[in-house]
Amino acid sequence: MDFTAKLYSGKITGTKYHVLVVPIFEDRKLHPELKEIDKAWKNELTEAVKDEALTSLGELYIAPTPLAKGLKRVAFVGMGKRNECDLETVRRAAGLAANSLRKREIPIVTFLAEAFVPPEGDVESTCRALIEGARLGSYTFDQFKTEKETNVISTAEIHLPGNAKIRDYVPMLNEVTTLTTSSIITRDWCNTPANLATPTHLSRLAKDIAKEASLSVKILDEKACDKLGMGAFLGVSKGSNEPPQFIILDYKPTKYTKTIVMVGKAITFDSGGISLKPGKDMHIMKGDKGGGVAVLATMRAVGLLKPKKVRVVGIIPACENMPSGHATKPGDIIRTMSGKSIEVLNTDAEGRLIMADGLEYGRIEYNPDYMIDVATLTGACVIALGEQIAGYWTDFDILADAMNAAGEVTGEKVWRMPLEMEYDDQLKSQCADTQNIGKREGGAITAALFLKKFVGDIQWLHLDIAGPFWSNENRPYTPKGCTGYGPRLLYNFVAKLAE
Ligand code: BES
Ligand code: ZN
Ligand code: ZN
């Protein structure tokens, strides 16, 4: 997983880049910086860009003639229409280019940054998008294969405009490296199957992260959770042989004015419990820890990048949802840490149960200014918004604005959904304070309304990532499997609130 991003500037002709990737738009104009090289290469570049097929997004063409000295090769990457290009186009093109180079066993990719700057962008954000695309796009999950995939891209290099001062770009470089590492960590841990990525394993990882990112860490075991009255969390866990772990990571600078609590659902495997899921695609539920892992990885970024004036606490209830003779049964009534009783009508609606105790713990222990929860919570959210958009619910525009802005920056798509109180009646139980399911219709909304019962009057936002945590196809910078959705978005969200 070793990866470095590097910055260079100066005249291209004097460089020794292995492959310099340059964009080619539909207008097929050669970037001025390449004119000199073109001359030395007897107009080979001018000839090459005449090919129309070259300009479709992500198409990679490596000019055949290597130069004897200095820059070795130029590769064109198709960008489509120049005026339709934005930072997401840059990210995608960089991802596709890096992945093509990886497959050709080329470990280093260099981009001519200035030539990629979209109409509404600047050099810095373009560099960021290029590095994100290159790193995320060339990802492979092959740690369990004897025959490894071909090379990984180990280095992304950026050639800055001639007048740029490298030191001005170093903070960006540091941030983008940290954040993409957190995304990769999320993919790796999420893709790791449930026999290996147990709650205990996650708590070990949390301890490693705490060390790496100078965070304090606390793990509550089953006994400690029981003492706190976390009947919802333990009610989900008790069908499993794996002990539950309630993980808390804390970033607490000496001076801070705001506290943000992030709660992430970490069901290390969701079989549905006694309300067993159908067999088809059940393996995807190894990724039902996606919210919790995203929170862990975000806490890593927070600890390393050290945002000012804000305390951030990550809470990750981690357990399995399994059927057994010990498991909670439909109709059982459990008591949450908040004291509210819940009639469990469907044991597959388990995420909201562990989150109820997670949110209550966050509220009581930290009395935060803002609280956010992240969960692969409902299939209904995937039906509503499709596989690529996360839904979020909040009564507070300040949180909605921060979430929208974060999504704009990172390209992780989010959409605000209604907290429709008229549907709240669906959660009324015959024999307990509430029940854990409403109707099938609007199921993502009633899940959000359920969680709302546990946040009191704290400014809170709920993010359902059941769609985007997983991809069934290869996308420009997201291969099949767990996508690593979350940490870049959440870090930017936190940073916005800390402003
Ligand atoms: N983990 C699932 C939700 C999910 C589904 C995540 C698909 C990712 C992809 C959750 O625990 C669940 O099973 N929810 C049920 C709730 C229902 C029983 C009210 C669902 O969505 O079907
Ligand atoms: Zn479930
Ligand atoms: Zn689940």
Side-chain angles (χ1 to χ4, degrees):
M1 205 193 59
D2 286 340
F3 172 88
T4 343
K6 292 181 181 162
L7 300 167
Y8 298 94
S9 65
K11 258 184 126 37
I12 301 181
T13 35
T15 63
K16 293 215 165 103
Y17 298 133
H18 202 75
V19 182
L20 180 71
V21 180
V22 298
I24 188 78
F25 296 89
E26 270 185 10
D27 58 18
R28 279 174 277 147
K29 278 197 193 123
L30 213 54
H31 190 268
E33 284 249 41
L34 296 170
K35 293 261 162 73
E36 211 174 311
I37 299 169
D38 192 38
K39 232 198 231 154
W41 271 347
K42 303 199 179 66
N43 297 337
E44 186 177 297
L45 301 183
T46 309
E47 285 304 311
V49 298
K50 285 187 179 154
D51 182 355
E52 247 171 84
L54 209 69
T55 61
S56 55
L57 184 69
E59 200 63 46
L60 192 79
Y61 173 81
I62 305 186
T65 320
L67 276 186
K69 271 193 248 149
L71 171 64
K72 291 199 184 63
R73 283 184 189 277
V74 168
F76 290 102
V77 62
M79 296 289 287
K81 288 199 171 64
R82 195 181 285 271
N83 59 0
E84 285 175 10
C85 174
D86 59 14
L87 289 171
E88 179 63 10
T89 322
V90 174
R91 228 176 262 125
R92 289 176 186 204
L96 291 162
N99 204 30
S100 304
L101 292 174
R102 177 186 69 76
K103 287 184 186 151
R104 290 172 215 216
E105 312 227 339
I106 295 169
I108 302 175
V109 55
T110 314
F111 296 99
L112 180 60
E114 195 181 13
F116 282 91
V117 179
E120 285 176 38
D122 52 42
V123 176
E124 186 174 299
S125 55
T126 303
C127 292
R128 206 183 272 270
L130 287 167
I131 297 170
E132 286 169 339
R135 179 139 200 227
L136 300 174
S138 57
Y139 173 83
T140 55
F141 182 66
D142 62 0
Q143 51 180 289
F144 298 103
K145 289 194 177 185
T146 308
E147 299 249 328
K148 301 287 180 214
E149 298 270 333
T150 47
N151 263 336
V152 292
I153 295 284
S154 61
T155 313
E157 298 178 328
I158 298 290
H159 185 89
L160 291 166
N163 58 355
K165 287 196 197 82
I166 287 185
R167 79 178 117 84
D168 292 344
Y169 292 83
V170 168
M172 173 279 297
L173 191 74
N174 181 31
E175 188 175 301
V176 72
T177 307
T178 304
L179 288 176
T180 48
T181 302
S182 280
S183 303
I184 299 279
I185 284 175
T186 307
R187 285 183 186 176
D188 277 345
W189 292 353
C190 248
N191 277 321
T192 303
N195 60 330
L196 303 169
T198 58
T200 310
H201 178 76
L202 282 192
S203 67
R204 248 182 260 133
L205 289 171
K207 284 179 195 157
D208 291 347
I209 280 195
K211 210 178 268 168
E212 181 193 2
S214 323
L215 305 166
S216 51
V217 58
K218 190 152 104 184
I219 315 279
L220 306 179
D221 62 8
E222 186 170 358
K223 217 166 123 194
C225 293
D226 190 38
K227 225 169 159 183
L228 287 164
M230 293 186 181
F233 177 48
L234 298 181
V236 172
S237 173
K238 74 187 184 138
S240 163
N241 288 350
E242 289 295 336
Q245 305 274 292
F246 192 95
I247 302 164
I248 304 131
L249 289 170
D250 193 353
Y251 165 74
K252 191 178 177 187
T254 35
K255 277 193 205 143
Y256 61 91
T257 52
K258 293 258 182 314
T259 300
I260 303 176
V261 163
M262 281 189 288
V263 189
K265 166 180 171 180
I267 293 290
T268 56
F269 190 73
D270 182 10
S271 70
I274 297 295
S275 314
L276 196 64
K277 283 183 182 295
K280 188 177 174 295
D281 288 340
M282 204 203 269
H283 69 282
I284 295 175
M285 286 300 115
K286 70 176 180 178
D288 208 22
K289 54 189 178 297
V293 168
V295 168
L296 281 179
T298 307
M299 289 307 296
R300 173 186 173 277
V302 167
L304 292 173
L305 297 173
K306 305 191 189 309
K308 294 201 170 61
K309 297 186 294 192
V310 67
R311 179 183 187 187
V312 189
V313 181
I315 296 177
I316 302 104
C319 70
E320 268 185 347
N321 185 23
M322 296 291 280
S324 79
H326 298 285
T328 292
K329 300 164 283 292
D332 285 1
I333 295 174
I334 56 181
R335 196 168 287 281
T336 60
M337 181 178 169
S338 72
K340 284 192 183 68
S341 62
I342 300 171
E343 185 182 13
V344 180
L345 289 183
N346 189 321
T347 64
D348 196 13
E350 84 299 339
R352 61 196 78 183
L353 297 174
I354 71 167
M355 297 301 270
D357 281 338
L359 289 165
E360 176 67 12
Y361 185 86
R363 190 177 76 81
I364 295 285
E365 281 289 314
Y366 301 98
N367 187 27
D369 299 279
Y370 307 117
M371 189 146 69
I372 169 171
D373 77 80
V374 192
T376 48
L377 203 67
T378 65
C381 195
V382 193
I383 300 298
L385 295 174
E387 289 171 342
Q388 298 195 40
I389 307 174
Y392 73 85
W393 286 256
T394 184
D395 284 326
F396 303 94
D397 289 349
I398 183 177
L399 296 181
D401 292 346
M403 185 50 77
N404 289 342
E408 279 294 317
V409 169
T410 70
E412 290 160 292
K413 298 183 180 79
V414 292
W415 194 254
R416 190 172 185 174
M417 304 281 273
L419 272 167
E420 177 52 63
M421 286 315 288
E422 229 177 292
Y423 296 169
D424 199 51
D425 282 353
Q426 292 178 31
L427 296 170
K428 277 198 177 137
S429 157
Q430 292 282 326
C431 39
D433 296 336
T434 187
Q435 62 184 42
N436 76 331
I437 53 168
K439 291 191 209 170
R440 208 166 86 90
E441 295 80 5
I445 299 177
T446 40
L449 290 171
F450 178 90
L451 296 178
K452 187 176 151 90
K453 297 179 189 302
F454 300 91
V455 296
D457 51 13
I458 285 171
Q459 300 194 52
W460 157 79
L461 181 146
H462 157 59
L463 184 69
D464 191 336
I465 61 167
F469 89 101
W470 180 269
S471 178
N472 284 313
E473 65 229 30
N474 288 321
R475 302 206 192 105
Y477 59 96
T478 321
K480 271 185 200 175
C482 289
T483 59
Y485 187 97
R488 290 186 305 122
L489 178 77
L490 296 172
Y491 179 79
N492 275 280
F493 174 76
V494 165
K496 283 260 156 14
L497 290 175
E499 269 170 15

